[in-house]
């Protein structure tokens, strides 16, 4: 299908229709002086001009706590799946790329059908960034624009949106929209080109492809110790990160002690007990080991596992969330670049 | 809320197995023989593990300790926390949830025709037993076998009957040690490295297989290196925290390796530049 154009009123009507249908619709809204994804009850609440959301949209594909199965005490386990239809509106390109990565993790090797079931029931409406956030560095990470994963990508060109719908789900929503003109497409390209250079509050001093090689040589660099010395092991950097997906599994028993639920919940590699085993042995006991592990996952381990460029998409959330101000990945990579020859 | 849209198997769903035999080996270790309620065999290879579920408490990764040449499967569970305590409180006929077999076991093809040296510390004997019994059930495929077993104390010597049976096998040299002296013990006292010089097998041409508490690996590997054993001929069985067992939850990572997928058995030469391994 060709690329469409819809006016701001038309988008608003579309969102109103979706809400009226009774299906679950979630989107970006103002929350005090910040922004957050949440349930939409009125199209007027949708804010596609936001800078960054507090939590990433990862919470929709991997909820903070999610039931995997129910059981009877003493035997019989029964899988549980979340099959609710959901339309999610306002995912920025860097977050879309993060979702694409998590999609890959949960469908590679052994497929996690809890994840894929939920994902198949989602319609994802992404949008190009209008307002850069205070800590974004997506331009440095090659994630300022996105070309796949969404059902619709909206680009604000002033009085209207250019809307690209590569999937049937997306096309169905745009069936009444007019085609975008060459002039509209040129405006869209200008927005995307601007974002490719301007979403860059923390410029990285090397190419993303160089990061694994840089980290290869940086394992014993003093920066880990220096930064981690003031780390609280609070795990906030994991919590806000759109590409963190590690989880814990726990059982809860109902009040009559006869049945219960096994669920998974977010976990974080910065938390002290993440690598603990019986006999009170902790494989990452020292803070700097945990601190380094996160940066290696973002820059080396996950990229190697998935065959992608980087698992840090430059949203800047960890920079904002970290109270002692040590979590900035670019800061660390640039420090390493000062000392290490590639 | 219960239908999967894609018809694929739920990788987290345990199947039921019944405890058909159990025996308390000492104060902390419990031996279990299990059979899947489906009537099928587990189909594991030596060195693989299962996730054992107690509904309402949780899951724990436990090694298969029996050879796949026998029907059903054996586990040995050390009482240490919530799940393992609950398993200890069970009786014959009770049911456990099982997921598996999981992970990557011993590379049997690479061991064919070779002499094998098993170096085990404490409960590390448990996973190694799956391979020892496999090898002894197929004597024509493998060379001689040395089994070194170090226990922390006299009471913690596991599998006494089993050790005695192995000792009677012409192919086997059994060497035992305990860390602390005991009035009833006349054998070697000291950590497992103190009996390595008594091995009759030519170490440099044999395969060495190590499993024990985290602290043990470094010292055993140092001794093996002094005996000119190359890293290609050393296999280590590494325990890490495991939640999913299928490469998703991130808990078992050893730098970029996932112990639940590429391990728990690793060839040491694949780990020599992996700082978190040993
Ligand atoms: C591949 C593999 C094979 C193993 N084989 C055996 C075996 O054959 N027999 C045996 O007795 N034990 C074995 N273990 C160790 C066993 O998994 C742990 O003792 C068990 O998970 C503890 O569970 P729990 O609920 O009883 O303890 P908890 O109440 O959870 O906690 C007790 C201690 O166990 C640690 N722990 C919690 N969860 C895990 C986990 N998932 N993995 C490791 N440690 C954990 C905690 O940090 C704590 O220190 C193996 C572990 C691995 C990874
Ligand atoms: S590491 Fe920080 S900047 Fe990078 S994706 Fe995660 S939260 Fe965003
Ligand atoms: S790096 Fe910062 S946000 Fe992350 S655990 Fe340490 S103190 Fe918390
Ligand atoms: S145990 Fe979950 S990734 Fe290995």
């Amino acid at each position: 299908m060709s690329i469409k154009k819809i006016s701001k009123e038309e988008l608003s009507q579309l969102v109103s229709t979706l809400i009226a249908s009774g299906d679950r619709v979630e989107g970006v809204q103002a929350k005090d002086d910040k922004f957050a994804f949440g349930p939409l009850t009125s199209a007027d609440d949708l804010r596609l001009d936001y800078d960054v959301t507090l939590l990433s949209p990862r919470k929709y594909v991997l909820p903070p706590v999610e039931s995997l199965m129910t059981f009877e005490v003493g035997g019989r386990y029964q899988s549980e799946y979340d099959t609710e239809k959901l339309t999610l509106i306002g995912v920025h390109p860097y977050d879309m790329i993060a979702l694409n990565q998590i999609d890959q993790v949960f469908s590679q090797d052994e497929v996690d059908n809890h994840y894929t079931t939920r994902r198949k029931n989602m319609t994802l409406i992404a949008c190009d960034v209008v307002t850069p956030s205070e800590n974004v560095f997506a331009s440095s990470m090659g994630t300022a624009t996105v070309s796949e994963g969404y059902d619709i990508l909206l680009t604000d060109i002033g009085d209207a949106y250019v809307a690209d719908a590569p999937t049937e789900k997306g096309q169905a929503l745009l069936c009444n929209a007019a085609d975008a003109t060459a002039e509209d497409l040129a405006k869209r390209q200008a927005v995307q080109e601007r974002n490719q250079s301007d979403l860059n509050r923390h410029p990285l001093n090397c190419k993303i492809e160089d990061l694994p090689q840089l980290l290869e040589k940086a394992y014993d660099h003093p920066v880990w110790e220096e930064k981690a010395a003031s780390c609280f092991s609070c795990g906030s950097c994991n919590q806000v990160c759109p590409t963190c997906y590690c989880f814990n599994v726990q059982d809860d028993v109902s009040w009559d002690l006869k049945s219960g639920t096994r669920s998974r919940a977010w976990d974080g590699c910065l938390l002290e007990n993440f690598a603990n085993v019986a006999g009170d042995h902790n494989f990452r006991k020292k803070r700097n080991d945990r601190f380094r592990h996160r940066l290696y996952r973002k820059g080396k381990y996950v990229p190697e596992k998935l065959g992608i460029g980087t698992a840090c998409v430059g949203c800047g959330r960890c920079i904002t969330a970290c109270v002692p101000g040590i979590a900035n990945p670019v800061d660390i990579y640039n420090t390493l670049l000062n000392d290490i020859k590639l | 809320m219960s239908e999967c849209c894609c018809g694929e198997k739920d990788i987290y769903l345990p199947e039921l197995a019944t405890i058909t035999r159990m025996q308390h080996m000492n104060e902390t270790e419990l031996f279990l023989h299990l059979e899947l309620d489906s009537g099928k065999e587990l189909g594991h290879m030596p060195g693989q593990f299962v996730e054992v579920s107690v509904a309402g408490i949780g899951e724990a990764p436990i090694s298969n300790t029996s050879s796949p040449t026998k029907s059903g499967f054996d586990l040995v569970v050390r009482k240490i926390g919530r799940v393992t305590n609950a398993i200890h409180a069970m009786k014959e006929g009770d049911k456990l949830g099982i997921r598996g077999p999981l992970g990557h076991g011993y590379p049997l093809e690479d061991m064919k025709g070779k002499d094998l040296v098993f170096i085990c510390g404490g409960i590390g004997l448990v996973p190694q037993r799956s391979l020892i019994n496999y090898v002894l059930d197929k004597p024509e495929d493998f060379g001689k076998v040395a089994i070194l077993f170090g226990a922390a104390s006299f009471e913690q010597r596991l599998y006494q009957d089993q050790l005695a049976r192995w000792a009677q096998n012409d192919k086997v040299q059994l060497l035992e040690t305990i860390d602390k002296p005991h009035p009833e013990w006349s054998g070697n006292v000291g950590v497992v490295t103190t009996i390595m010089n008594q091995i009759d097998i030519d170490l440099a041409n044999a395969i060495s297989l190590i499993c024990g508490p985290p602290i043990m690996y470094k010292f055993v590997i140092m001794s093996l290196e002094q005996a000119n054993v190359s890293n290609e001929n050393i296999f280590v069985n590494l325990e890490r925290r495991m939640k999913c067992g299928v490469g998703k939850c991130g808990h078992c990572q050893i730098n970029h390796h996932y112990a639940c997928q590429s391990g728990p058995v690793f060839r040491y030469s694949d780990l020599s530049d992996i700082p978190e391994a040993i």
Side-chain angles (χ1 to χ4, degrees):
Chain A
M1 192 177 88
S2 53
I3 296 178
K4 301 288 183 184
K5 171 187 187 171
I6 58 171
S7 70
K8 296 201 164 169
E9 294 79 66
E10 283 167 333
L11 179 70
S12 192
Q13 271 162 22
L14 176 65
V15 174
S16 297
T17 314
L18 284 169
I19 295 171
S21 77
D23 281 351
R24 185 172 167 215
V25 181
E26 305 248 345
V28 179
Q29 298 155 63
K31 193 174 176 188
D32 304 323
D33 58 344
K34 304 261 185 334
F35 294 94
F37 281 96
L40 272 180
T41 50
S42 155
D44 296 341
D45 294 339
L46 183 66
R47 288 288 299 274
L48 295 185
D49 61 339
Y50 76 100
D51 54 359
V52 66
T53 54
L54 292 162
L55 281 184
S56 82
R58 147 170 72 119
K59 66 178 180 179
Y60 293 106
V61 295
L62 278 178
V65 182
E66 163 192 8
S67 164
L68 296 175
M69 67 192 78
T70 55
F71 53 77
E72 288 160 20
V73 170
R76 261 180 56 83
Y77 299 81
Q78 170 111 41
S79 304
E80 281 240 306
Y81 297 98
D82 175 359
T83 55
E84 190 183 20
K85 292 228 175 312
L86 165 68
T87 305
L88 184 60
I89 312 176
V91 176
H92 272 167
Y94 49 80
D95 280 339
M96 189 64 241
I97 289 169
L99 291 178
N100 291 343
Q101 288 179 15
I102 303 184
D103 283 356
Q104 209 184 326
V105 170
F106 284 86
S107 46
Q108 93 178 159
D109 302 333
E110 301 204 56
V111 177
D112 181 321
N113 63 5
H114 298 272
Y115 182 94
T116 52
T117 300
R118 181 178 296 102
R119 191 65 183 81
K120 278 180 189 148
N121 282 306
M122 279 174 71
T123 303
L124 255 159
I125 303 181
C127 64
D128 275 314
V129 177
V130 173
T131 318
S133 71
E134 59 169 339
N135 282 318
V136 69
F137 55 95
S139 304
S140 278
M141 307 317 269
T143 52
T145 55
V146 62
S147 58
E148 60 183 358
Y150 48 81
D151 296 295
I152 298 179
L153 173 67
L154 299 169
T155 311
D156 190 330
I157 54 163
D159 54 343
Y161 292 101
V162 172
D164 176 18
T167 68
E168 275 176 29
K169 273 193 265 182
Q171 285 160 15
L173 294 175
L174 292 180
C175 53
N176 296 326
D179 285 351
T181 62
E183 194 190 338
D184 299 331
L185 293 179
K187 285 186 188 163
R188 173 174 105 134
Q189 194 176 346
V191 170
Q192 293 182 339
E193 279 172 8
R194 184 201 68 207
N195 282 350
Q196 276 161 5
S197 61
D198 288 6
L199 302 185
N200 214 6
R201 299 291 154 91
H202 304 278
L204 176 69
N205 296 337
C206 71
K207 296 198 290 289
I208 327 159
E209 305 84 80
D210 294 335
L211 286 177
Q213 201 197 337
L214 176 70
L215 291 177
E216 187 75 55
K217 299 176 184 169
Y219 203 79
D220 296 316
H221 193 278
V223 71
W224 311 116
E225 192 81 54
E226 278 161 29
K227 296 272 180 191
S230 50
C231 173
F232 303 150
S233 302
C234 67
S236 301
C237 48
N238 294 132
Q239 236 194 345
V240 296
C241 182
T243 67
C244 275
Y245 58 80
C246 291
F247 61 84
N248 210 341
V249 181
Q250 68 191 50
D251 282 12
D252 293 296
V253 180
S254 64
W255 60 271
D256 61 0
L257 304 180
K258 286 192 176 135
S259 59
T261 310
R262 176 165 295 167
S263 28
R264 70 168 144 214
W266 287 2
D267 208 342
C269 60
L270 269 288
L271 299 172
E272 198 170 342
N273 291 332
F274 188 81
N276 233 32
V277 297
D280 210 21
H281 186 87
N282 189 340
F283 285 97
R284 264 179 239 108
K285 198 182 182 66
K286 295 207 294 278
R287 270 180 303 187
N288 61 329
D289 289 341
R290 299 193 293 275
F291 185 83
R292 176 175 53 202
H293 187 69
R294 180 178 79 96
L295 273 297
Y296 270 68
R297 268 185 73 93
K298 302 301 168 200
K300 191 170 190 300
Y301 304 155
V302 176
E304 284 170 356
K305 181 175 161 85
L306 301 183
I308 56 168
T310 158
C312 165
V313 295
C315 70
R317 288 185 181 93
C318 59
I319 306 175
T320 313
C322 178
V323 174
I326 52 174
N328 185 341
V330 174
D331 206 21
I332 293 160
Y333 297 145
N334 285 348
T335 305
L336 295 174
L337 283 164
N338 284 338
D339 294 344
I340 295 169
K341 256 186 77 148
L342 281 175
Chain B
M1 288 272 287
S2 68
E3 278 298 288
C4 155
C5 69
C6 43
E8 289 182 63
K9 155 175 169 266
D10 182 352
I11 53 176
Y12 304 114
L13 192 72
E15 58 179 311
L16 291 182
T18 304
I19 304 173
T20 54
R21 203 153 29 90
M22 64 194 290
Q23 184 199 340
H24 287 272
M25 305 172 85
N26 57 31
E27 280 200 354
T28 47
E29 267 88 21
L30 172 68
F31 173 91
L32 303 159
H33 182 78
L34 290 142
E35 275 163 37
L36 293 177
D37 287 8
S38 65
K40 295 202 184 107
E41 287 300 332
L42 186 64
H44 67 285
M45 293 306 283
Q48 286 190 299
F49 67 98
V50 289
E51 282 281 354
V52 181
S53 260
V54 182
I57 315 276
E59 285 190 302
I62 303 288
S63 313
N64 283 110
T65 184
S66 51
S67 162
T69 48
K70 297 279 184 295
S71 92
F73 59 99
D74 301 341
L75 306 176
V76 170
V77 177
R78 169 174 286 183
K79 190 174 169 171
I80 197 142
R82 284 163 37 82
V83 175
T84 49
N85 269 300
I87 298 173
H88 272 247
M90 291 185 150
K91 48 188 194 313
E92 282 177 13
D94 282 350
K95 294 196 188 297
L96 286 168
I98 296 289
R99 279 198 296 133
L102 301 170
H104 198 89
Y106 299 100
L108 298 171
E109 281 307 309
D110 298 0
M111 297 178 179
K112 287 258 163 82
K114 296 274 176 64
D115 293 342
L116 305 176
V117 179
F118 292 90
I119 304 166
C120 320
I123 198 170
L125 181 62
V126 166
Q128 304 261 57
R129 176 179 176 258
S130 65
L131 180 59
I132 297 172
N133 280 340
Y134 182 88
V135 167
L136 297 180
D137 281 346
K138 295 178 181 279
E140 63 290 355
D141 287 352
F142 302 92
K144 289 186 288 179
V145 172
I147 302 168
L148 282 70
F149 177 44
S153 69
F154 182 73
E155 292 76 15
Q156 285 178 31
R157 292 175 316 139
L158 285 173
Y159 276 132
Q160 282 308 298
D161 303 348
Q162 174 74 80
L163 291 173
R165 258 176 286 137
W166 284 336
Q168 279 163 14
N169 190 313
D170 294 343
K171 288 190 85 161
V172 175
Q173 181 194 14
L174 176 71
L175 295 167
E176 271 196 90
T177 182
I178 59 177
D179 289 358
K180 291 183 282 259
H182 187 278
E184 285 174 49
W185 179 253
S186 57
N188 191 82
V189 175
V191 293
V192 77
T193 43
T194 61
I195 47 173
M196 285 176 64
N197 58 0
Q198 298 174 37
I199 302 172
D200 286 338
I201 286 172
D202 172 19
L203 273 174
N205 289 312
I207 303 257
S208 297
L209 306 118
I210 315 170
C211 188
I215 175 89
M216 190 183 103
Y217 293 85
K218 194 182 294 170
F219 296 105
V220 172
I221 288 169
M222 267 162 53
S223 301
L224 289 174
E225 281 172 346
Q226 277 161 16
N228 292 321
V229 180
S230 78
N231 291 345
E232 280 76 27
N233 288 337
I234 302 176
F235 289 89
V236 291
N237 196 323
L238 299 183
E239 180 186 345
R240 286 297 182 276
R241 190 185 190 90
M242 290 185 187
K243 278 293 169 188
C244 70
V246 287
K248 308 289 184 211
C249 77
H251 275 277
C252 67
Q253 259 190 286
I254 304 174
N255 298 108
H256 70 273
H257 285 291
Y258 286 75
C260 70
Q261 285 185 307
S262 25
V265 178
F266 289 94
R267 191 190 285 269
Y268 185 57
S269 51
D270 294 337
L271 296 176
S272 25
D273 57 347
I274 304 295
E276 286 185 343
I278 300 296

